[in-house]
Amino acid sequence: MFGGDAALPFSRHSDVLHGPVPTDPTELNNLVAELKRRGNAAFQQKALEEAEVLYSRAITVNERDPLGNQHIFLANRSAARCSMGKAALALEDAEACVALDATYAKGFFRQAQALVKLGRFKEALAVLDSAKALEPSNKSMATLYTKVQEMAKKEKEAPAAPAPKKVVTRVEVAQSSSTASASTKAPTAASSTAVVDDDAEIVGHVRGYKKLADGRVTTFFNNELTEEAKQLIGDIAPKKVEDLDKVQIKSVDGGSAWNQGNTFEEKDMTSWAKGKLQTIVSGVSAPLGTGEGVVISLEVSNLEGDASIAVVRGAKRYIFDFTFTLACTLKQGESSVAGELKFLDLSSDCGGDYDVEAVVPSRYQSEARKALHAALNSPSSPFRKALAEQLAKFVVEYHTF
């Protein structure tokens, strides 16, 4: 539907989708970073067509790949296309991604997702083996691997298609009355076709019905109580409760008084989770790692999402899904530079592999800005590791409820 630089001509993204490609390296890198930021935001908001167009524009203008990040845009567009149902195109993007960087585990993950959409489960498992070898502790990959194994098993165990019904053709043949012999002529009546069901029950009665002891015929599933059964059960008609104090409803483990079957309950934990997140990620500090300086997280803004604890047949499920922006600063002596770490997907099904985006304005204009961006962007930086430890504490405390 959309494609090329002429896509979405009247959209809010016209400023980055149209016009010539900058020749200045700094301007080009800024444009690519902005396209990625908007593409990620659109994908997070389920605006998949916008995300696809923005990633496509980023891939086009980033053709020379000066920063070596073209594989990331291909993986992102693969995710968008896979969610749109364009599995074949998503697979092409993922394959191009891993061709550029065979160490990028998420590229293999996207490739596996596309293969699953195409029903190619064995290939998906082989690709996930490569991804798991790169990131053995990635829970998202382990979860997908288990699901694909189950899909492949069900496909293998699926029953064969039933054999076609036997068809018997009856032909009515007219006899000649003008001759003494019993010779036959060509058929003059139309033939009729009957379908014979091998499972037909030829026992002199219609299937699905039964005859009771008193001679009445009723449906097979009708289960009328005998007089003896009624006496054993007793009077089960509803009765009005006269004395409420005598009524006691006891709670069961994992459920509440009104849900003794312990089937499903859900408790809203959004307020607690938001307050805890704001507290636990603010004030985190760690050395820069690549030079002198300290990276410090400040306040949380634009915190949106929800959290809940669901009890499903006695088993608790701790669910949360948030997005927020974390203001950060790099202090080097008396000077400091500011940036942001945007959490695009902080959810319970990420397995700790949260989708983030580092934003440092004009980051190529000074070494300090470049250093801050690297510290925010790299999962292996001291600051990101310290932040991951705090988020892990949030998850652990959440599971104590």
Side-chain angles (χ1 to χ4, degrees):
M1 181 176 180
F2 302 114
D5 292 347
L8 301 173
F10 304 108
S11 77
R12 54 199 173 100
H13 303 299
S14 297
D15 58 323
V16 293
L17 290 176
H18 303 296
V21 178
T23 56
D24 179 73
T26 300
E27 292 182 3
L28 176 61
N29 291 332
N30 289 341
L31 173 60
V32 171
E34 181 63 15
L35 285 165
K36 179 187 176 184
R37 185 189 70 79
R38 296 193 192 187
N40 289 348
F43 182 79
Q44 184 66 25
Q45 296 166 7
K46 308 300 182 185
L48 300 177
E49 290 178 338
E50 280 190 31
E52 182 189 22
V53 170
L54 290 162
Y55 290 140
S56 296
R57 173 68 169 170
I59 291 168
T60 300
V61 302
N62 194 46
E63 185 177 5
R64 294 185 180 180
D65 197 14
L67 301 178
N69 56 2
Q70 186 78 313
H71 61 287
I72 297 176
F73 301 127
L74 287 165
N76 290 353
R77 189 172 69 176
S78 175
R81 286 178 165 176
C82 196
S83 298
M84 296 169 70
K86 299 180 179 180
L89 291 175
L91 180 59
E92 290 181 9
D93 281 344
E95 289 175 341
C97 169
V98 298
L100 287 175
D101 188 348
T103 65
Y104 188 55
K106 188 168 283 188
F108 290 100
F109 184 72
R110 300 304 184 199
Q111 186 179 359
Q113 287 180 315
L115 287 168
V116 170
K117 289 282 188 180
L118 293 169
R120 294 157 62 177
F121 303 130
K122 289 185 179 179
E123 294 175 68
L125 289 173
V127 170
L128 284 171
D129 282 332
S130 300
K132 289 167 64 180
L134 293 170
E135 292 187 8
S137 61
N138 190 307
K139 294 183 180 179
S140 297
M141 293 178 187
T143 300
L144 180 60
Y145 192 89
T146 302
K147 289 181 179 179
V148 178
Q149 280 184 317
E150 293 174 356
M151 292 177 183
K153 183 179 179 181
K154 288 180 180 179
E155 183 183 49
K156 186 177 180 180
E157 295 176 351
K165 301 292 185 180
K166 294 180 180 179
V167 178
V168 178
T169 303
R170 297 193 298 270
V171 180
E172 297 178 4
V173 181
Q175 296 289 338
S176 173
S177 58
S178 60
T179 61
S181 66
S183 61
T184 60
K185 293 184 179 181
T188 59
S191 64
S192 61
T193 302
V195 178
V196 178
D197 188 348
D198 287 337
D199 296 329
E201 188 178 346
I202 313 300
V203 292
H205 66 273
V206 181
R207 286 185 298 167
Y209 291 85
K210 63 182 178 181
K211 183 178 290 187
L212 302 179
D214 58 3
R216 290 183 296 123
V217 176
T218 183
T219 62
F220 180 80
F221 295 101
N222 184 33
N223 186 21
E224 294 186 11
L225 295 176
T226 64
E227 291 300 325
E228 182 181 2
K230 291 178 181 178
Q231 291 178 3
L232 289 172
I233 295 174
D235 185 7
I236 58 174
K239 296 181 178 61
K240 182 179 179 180
V241 177
E242 300 294 345
D243 188 356
L244 296 178
D245 294 333
K246 293 182 179 180
V247 179
Q248 294 183 356
I249 302 178
K250 296 181 179 180
S251 176
V252 293
D253 292 339
S256 66
W258 57 266
N259 183 19
Q260 296 191 53
N262 202 13
T263 52
F264 179 84
E265 290 184 55
E266 188 171 14
K267 181 180 180 181
D268 187 6
M269 297 293 293
T270 303
S271 179
W272 175 89
K274 283 186 173 182
K276 193 64 181 179
L277 276 174
Q278 288 178 323
T279 302
I280 208 164
V281 300
S282 300
V284 177
S285 63
L288 182 60
T290 57
E292 294 184 359
V294 178
V295 182
I296 305 171
S297 63
L298 304 176
E299 71 278 358
V300 173
S301 62
N302 302 322
L303 177 56
E304 297 180 359
D306 50 59
S308 62
I309 299 176
V311 180
V312 183
R313 298 198 176 278
K316 285 186 177 181
R317 297 182 181 179
Y318 297 85
I319 306 165
F320 61 90
D321 189 356
F322 291 103
T323 61
F324 62 90
T325 300
L326 181 63
C328 303
T329 184
L330 168 61
K331 290 189 175 182
Q332 293 178 313
E334 298 297 325
S335 63
S336 64
V337 292
E340 293 179 341
L341 190 60
K342 295 188 175 183
F343 282 81
L344 305 176
D345 183 15
L346 182 81
S347 58
S348 50
D349 58 359
C350 287
D353 184 22
Y354 306 125
D355 189 9
V356 300
E357 178 186 2
V359 179
V360 179
S362 305
R363 63 185 173 102
Y364 292 101
Q365 293 183 3
S366 71
E367 292 301 320
R369 294 179 186 277
K370 290 181 183 178
L372 176 58
H373 184 273
L376 298 181
N377 192 56
S378 174
S380 60
S381 71
F383 175 74
R384 284 287 299 275
K385 287 182 177 179
L387 199 58
E389 290 178 2
Q390 292 298 101
L391 290 171
K393 290 179 182 178
F394 162 77
V395 175
V396 170
E397 188 169 346
Y398 187 29
H399 280 68
T400 60
F401 287 92

